[in-house]
Amino acid sequence: MQSCLYDIRKECWSEELCGLLGLDMSLLPELVEAGTVLGDVRGEVCRELGWSEGVRFIVGTADTQAALEAMQPELGDVVIVSGTTSPCLKVKDSFTPYPMTWVSPTTRPGQLMLEVNTASCGINVQRFKNLMMPDVSYDALTRDAVERGLPESGLPGVIAVFSPGLHLDKTTPNGGFVLRSPIAVDLKACDFFHAMVLNTALSIVMCLERLKKLDGIEKDVLIGCGGGFETPVTGQAVADLMGMPVRIYENYREAAVFGGFSLCCRAAGTAMPELKVLRQWEPHSCEALEDYYRQWKQARACFQELRFEP
């Protein structure tokens, strides 16, 4: 269903697009729902892989849809999947096109997801950490954030703006760090890391604001999943700036894997275990964070004017 040849309105391959490309539609596979048992894996393949014969082949889905499936969403739910990117998804039952958004099928018949994506936030955080702070653990950085009271106090004296929004801008500008001059004597390497985490959180907020403006947010809680919520900074910043609670479940960390498990349960005709709430961040009014967000948006606007050619 992720193919650009799929007609989301008619729920079939697009005759128009195939015609424009000169593609013989008979070459395309049959469309089936996620979680469908396609058949048994061939015996010779099972033997080569060391499997018992009779292994069933179950149709899967894309990673974002899998993570969404793990959250067992209902119509109107808004789910943030913060990983390599941070798509903000609203579950809908009808197709509504908006500029610079995606509408895709979910794993559930009759459900679609309206997506506004924050581009490559997560991968930037990971690469910065691996390049600049390889000997510092994520746990140590999280402890430092908690001790500082982030994101409501102890905000870093640096602002990071990196790939701020694939579906917020017509082009994705370059990014970097903004510091006051002279550089503060107490600035540490972890300040840059925390600034990049905040860039992810603030990018999510900007996408949620766009989603709310375009289609509304009716539910009274936001659902988060993915490794981006491993640090409490992301959940609390989103809650504070959106004025809404942010909830994560016990399966949040490897949501895409649990989504695949859910499809296996569907194929086997067994119920998924009930979701258990792990944590919920309640919104607080925080002037310091709101001011940081304002400055971040100003920096972001300036970076849109820059073009760096390596």
Side-chain angles (χ1 to χ4, degrees):
M1 289 186 177
Q2 285 296 97
S3 170
C4 292
L5 296 175
Y6 182 73
D7 188 326
I8 193 170
R9 291 186 173 117
K10 297 180 179 179
E11 299 182 349
C12 62
W13 296 120
S14 170
E15 293 185 15
E16 179 182 3
L17 290 175
C18 288
L20 291 171
L21 295 171
L23 180 63
D24 182 356
M25 294 185 67
S26 66
L27 298 175
L28 298 175
E30 177 188 358
L31 289 167
V32 296
E33 296 289 343
T36 299
V37 178
L38 205 59
D40 291 345
V41 178
R42 293 200 305 270
E44 59 268 27
V45 175
C46 289
R47 288 190 292 273
E48 183 177 346
L49 296 175
W51 296 349
S52 301
E53 292 198 19
V55 174
R56 315 304 300 276
F57 186 98
I58 300 170
V59 176
T61 187
D63 54 353
T64 300
Q65 279 88 341
L68 182 65
E69 167 65 25
M71 299 300 105
Q72 301 180 29
E74 299 177 353
L75 288 176
D77 280 345
V78 173
V79 179
I80 307 154
V81 185
S82 186
T84 303
T85 66
S86 292
C88 300
L89 314 169
K90 181 179 178 181
V91 181
K92 295 170 58 67
D93 60 0
S94 60
F95 177 82
T96 309
Y98 296 111
M100 290 184 286
T101 64
W102 287 340
V103 181
S104 306
T106 70
T107 56
R108 302 187 176 195
Q111 286 190 3
L112 304 172
M113 62 184 199
L114 173 62
E115 173 182 350
V116 183
N117 201 322
T118 60
S120 56
C121 291
I123 197 169
N124 281 338
V125 173
Q126 183 183 45
R127 287 179 178 175
F128 177 85
K129 158 73 173 61
N130 292 343
L131 286 169
M132 302 299 181
M133 309 177 70
D135 299 326
V136 182
S137 70
Y138 282 104
D139 286 343
L141 291 165
T142 297
R143 287 195 300 271
D144 182 70
V146 172
E147 291 171 1
R148 294 168 62 150
L150 285 171
E152 297 173 338
S153 63
L155 288 160
V158 56
I159 292 173
V161 181
F162 283 88
S163 298
L166 183 62
H167 298 300
L168 293 172
D169 307 298
K170 292 183 179 178
T171 59
T172 304
N174 298 293
F177 294 99
V178 179
L179 300 88
R180 292 187 178 90
S181 181
I183 296 175
V185 294
D186 58 350
L187 198 65
K188 302 176 183 178
C190 60
D191 286 289
F192 292 86
F193 176 84
H194 294 320
M196 294 204 64
V197 171
L198 282 164
N199 171 66
T200 298
L202 302 184
S203 296
I204 289 171
V205 170
M206 184 169 280
C207 287
L208 289 171
E209 289 175 342
R210 176 167 172 78
L211 186 63
K212 183 176 181 179
K213 181 178 180 181
L214 291 174
D215 205 73
I217 296 177
E218 297 85 26
K219 297 297 183 75
D220 58 3
V221 63
L222 301 166
I223 300 170
C225 64
F229 285 96
E230 195 160 10
T231 167
V233 175
T234 303
Q236 191 64 62
V238 173
D240 289 353
L241 292 171
M242 290 300 297
M244 297 179 64
V246 176
R247 178 182 300 163
I248 57 173
Y249 296 104
E250 287 184 339
N251 64 348
Y252 84 97
R253 183 64 180 83
E254 301 294 345
V257 175
F258 278 94
F261 172 66
S262 177
L263 294 180
C264 292
C265 288
R266 185 186 305 178
T270 59
M272 268 284 286
E274 183 180 353
L275 288 176
K276 295 181 180 179
V277 176
L278 177 65
R279 182 168 184 176
Q280 181 163 303
W281 291 278
E282 299 296 333
H284 305 135
S285 177
C286 182
E287 185 175 341
L289 179 59
E290 291 171 1
D291 186 59
Y292 190 92
Y293 183 40
R294 178 186 57 79
Q295 294 183 65
W296 176 84
K297 286 193 287 188
Q298 289 178 344
R300 181 179 179 279
C302 292
F303 271 96
Q304 289 180 346
E305 303 299 321
L306 299 177
R307 291 293 180 269
F308 171 68
E309 299 295 337

